[in-house]
């Protein structure tokens, strides 16, 4: 069994992942990594998006424009910034799903390194949450969505999304109570994004992500193609095959 990861330097996104890792080490979901999703089965290492990432991209294009439009129509800088956070979160998710087409399943101790960009973005997003701002709750709801990226390591991604949604909804409810029309439109659009993502996970990766058998070492792959970098599914030149 691999050594326990020291996640002390990371923020809540890493802390939540550590809890998942503990369950994995206890064997609760020992067989989850071998499951095959309909979208990721048979994906090769050709350039461009893998099938799972392409499916997520299609979903993103169906829901994120409404969120962007609500922010743009509001003319509110805080809502524009919150939208940027959500967009970056989905890019990280897509990058992680692209990795499944070419990289082997990460070891438990690998996730701290892989999710380091997520931790950094979470810190930045929370710093942007000024409790003196009228749109503080919307900023906080966007910052909470960053936790979605941890679904890359989850045995039940849809359940993880539901948990994130519940946390986000706490801030969304407070925003709705103010009855500010531009903000109401934005938070409603955000809720639809999260609701739809849970359904997407049930359809595409219900039992967790399937990584490439005999693929590249995950740490090496993500070192060359960090989350948020927008890399496609092309193999990373510097990555060595997993042992």
């Amino acid at each position: 069994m691999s050594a326990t990861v020291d996640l002390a330097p990371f923020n809540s996104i890493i802390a939540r992942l550590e809890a998942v890792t503990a369950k994995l080490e206890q064997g609760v979901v020992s067989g989850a990594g071998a499951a095959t999703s309909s979208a990721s089965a048979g994906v090769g290492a050709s350039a461009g998006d893998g099938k799972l990432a392409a499916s997520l991209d299609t979903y993103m294009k169906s829901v994120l424009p409404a969120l962007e439009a609500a922010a743009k129509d509001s003319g509110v800088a805080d809502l524009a910034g919150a939208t940027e956070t959500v967009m970056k979160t989905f890019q990280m998710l897509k990058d992680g799903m692209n990795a499944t087409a070419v990289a082997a399943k990460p070891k438990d101790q690998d996730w701290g390194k892989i999710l380091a960009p997520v931790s950094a973005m979470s810190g930045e997003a929370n710093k942007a949450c000024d409790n003196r701002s009228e749109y503080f709750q919307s900023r906080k709801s966007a910052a909470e969505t960053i936790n979605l990226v941890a679904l890359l390591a989850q045995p039940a991604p849809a359940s993880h999304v539901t948990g994130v949604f519940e946390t986000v909804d706490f801030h969304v409810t407070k925003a709705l109570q103010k009855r500010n029309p531009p903000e109401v439109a934005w938070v409603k659009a955000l809720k639809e994004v999260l609701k739809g993502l849970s359904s997407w996970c049930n359809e595409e990766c219900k039992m967790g992500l399937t990584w490439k058998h005999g693929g590249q070492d995950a740490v090496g792959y993500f070192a060359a193609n960090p989350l948020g970098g927008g890399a496609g599914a092309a193999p990373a030149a510097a990555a060595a095959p997993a042992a």
Side-chain angles (χ1 to χ4, degrees), residues 157-173:
S159 295
H160 177 72
V161 173
T162 298
V164 174
F165 174 80
E166 291 172 354
T167 303
V168 170
D169 198 46
F170 171 81
H171 299 287
V172 166
T173 299

Side-chain angles (χ1 to χ4, degrees), residues 14 39 49 61 111 131 136-137 216 228 240:
I14 303 300
D49 289 344
K61 290 176 179 176
W111 284 110
N131 59 12
F136 171 75
Q137 299 298 340
Q216 299 173 21

Side-chain angles (χ1 to χ4, degrees), residues 93-106:
L93 274 176
K94 183 180 173 183
D95 290 345
M97 291 179 184
N98 258 325
T100 66
V102 294
K105 181 182 178 181

Side-chain angles (χ1 to χ4, degrees), residues 12-88:
S12 60
I13 176 68
I14 303 300
R16 293 183 187 189
L17 180 61
E18 186 178 39
V20 174
T21 298
K23 291 182 180 180
L24 290 171
E25 291 177 343
Q26 292 165 10
V28 175
V29 291
S30 60
T36 302
S37 72
S38 60
S40 60
V43 176
S46 58
D49 289 344
K51 288 183 180 179
L52 188 59
S55 176
L56 179 64
D57 187 64
T58 298
Y59 172 72
M60 290 163 60
K61 290 176 179 176
S62 73
V63 294
L64 292 179
L67 188 71
E68 292 180 294
K72 182 178 180 181
D73 291 346
S74 74
V76 176
D78 273 321
L79 295 183
T83 301
E84 183 179 0
T85 295
V86 176
M87 299 297 288
K88 288 181 177 179

